Amino acid sequence: MHITKSTVSLSVLSFTALSAALPAPEGSSPKAIAERANPSINNKALLKRAAPTIGAGIDPNDPHRGGRLLPKSPDQPTTGGFSNALELMSYATTSSDDAVFRKYFNPGDKATVTAIFDRLLGGDGATDGAAALANIQVIAGEDDPDDPAPAELKKFDEGEPNLVMTDDAFVYPDRDDNANACNEWAADGMSQDMYLLGSVLLHEYTHWDWFLGSIHNGEIIDQPNGYGWEGARALDKSLAVYNADSYGWYATENFWTIICSHAGGYNAPGVEKRGG
């Protein structure tokens, strides 16, 4: 969340505490800033598209933490948080369910949302990640009982931000962890359990104003009461393009909608789906 100009965080664990910590008054529109220029990547090492860089305090060989960011094996390339985040965005740009989109955004904002995901994916129809993602250093952070956010993007208005992840972030599942997911979502409706480790990463990526600001010309923050699927759906749609969890939950619900062949998305638990 944008508490200061140097801090952005995500939490799905305590909506009340987070809403109280947010600076913007409920229902306020973020002020548009001066039109931003497109980012310029000067690092000559970034010749290929890439995932964020795993940095201090996160061991990529630890299967319960850093290893969960990476594919489980060479023959499972879509597993792991980094790949999951790209896959969520790829489905949102190439196989968007319009009914799901309208739950989170105004229809007129689709070009903006798609452009943000497209830039993060690498542009021009790419799906394997923008080279600039390698500028993000993913580092370990300490769990804080007073701030339950599992992830936090720092230096979001600079070219080399830090994505701080606590142990709580690694509780979120991989897309393939629940073999019965499609049946469960069809029977029970929307669930917090849909949100993936890749969803957490995607949410944080959208806070990177240095990289994405020339598209939205504002600041993507955590709008008051805009957390979780219920909050993101209920949020004033004029604020949705400036709310990180609107992107996270749209991409997540759209993903399950497409791979589970459940057109139109999912209703709230206990609400019967009607029609085809």
Side-chain angles (χ1 to χ4, degrees):
M1 81 188 77
H2 285 203
I3 295 177
T4 68
K5 285 298 291 181
S6 63
T7 302
V8 180
S9 66
L10 173 145
S11 174
V12 292
L13 302 177
S14 177
F15 300 145
T16 301
L18 283 166
S19 296
L22 290 162
E26 183 174 354
S28 67
S29 298
K31 293 181 180 179
I33 59 177
E35 185 173 355
R36 295 173 182 255
N38 287 329
S40 176
I41 306 292
N42 297 318
N43 188 340
K44 294 181 180 180
L46 302 180
L47 300 179
K48 300 193 231 178
R49 296 184 174 93
T53 302
I54 296 178
I58 295 182
D59 182 359
N61 295 313
D62 182 345
H64 302 296
R65 295 184 78 253
R68 298 198 57 241
L69 296 169
L70 305 172
K72 294 178 181 179
S73 66
D75 61 344
Q76 295 177 290
T78 62
T79 60
F82 291 153
S83 292
N84 282 186
L86 297 177
E87 189 173 20
L88 293 173
M89 293 188 288
S90 180
Y91 274 102
T93 58
T94 62
S95 303
S96 175
D97 185 298
D98 287 340
V100 174
F101 185 87
R102 290 193 298 269
K103 296 176 185 179
Y104 298 96
F105 296 98
N106 283 324
D109 289 327
K110 193 162 190 178
T112 297
V113 174
T114 301
I116 285 172
F117 287 151
D118 186 60
R119 181 168 290 179
L120 289 165
L121 286 167
D124 298 323
T127 60
D128 46 1
L133 289 178
N135 279 19
I136 300 175
Q137 286 278 335
V138 181
I139 61 176
E142 297 292 330
D143 293 324
D144 182 352
D146 296 323
D147 180 5
E152 176 183 13
L153 191 71
K154 294 186 175 182
K155 301 190 296 183
F156 57 85
D157 211 23
E158 299 180 16
E160 297 183 355
N162 291 329
L163 203 171
V164 181
M165 302 187 75
T166 70
D167 286 344
D168 285 341
F170 297 102
V171 172
Y172 290 83
D174 186 88
R175 56 155 283 174
D176 294 334
D177 284 351
N178 184 354
N180 197 43
C182 289
N183 291 331
E184 288 187 13
W185 313 150
D188 300 335
M190 288 296 294
S191 169
Q192 178 64 42
D193 292 339
M194 292 178 169
Y195 215 68
L196 307 174
L197 178 57
S199 307
V200 174
L201 293 168
L202 183 161
H203 172 121
E204 294 302 329
Y205 296 167
T206 67
H207 282 304
W208 194 10
D209 292 336
W210 178 86
F211 190 54
L212 303 172
S214 63
I215 299 173
H216 56 68
N217 283 307
E219 292 183 334
I220 294 179
I221 64 173
D222 299 317
Q223 296 287 341
N225 302 319
Y227 260 98
W229 64 268
E230 292 177 286
R233 286 184 179 185
L235 185 68
D236 181 341
K237 295 298 184 287
S238 68
L239 301 176
V241 290
Y242 301 106
N243 183 53
D245 228 23
S246 296
Y247 293 87
W249 270 106
Y250 157 57
T252 299
E253 184 179 352
N254 184 75
F255 169 76
W256 291 115
T257 294
I258 300 303
I259 68 166
C260 295
S261 299
H262 199 270
Y266 297 88
N267 287 341
V271 177
E272 181 180 356
K273 181 173 181 177
R274 302 188 181 278

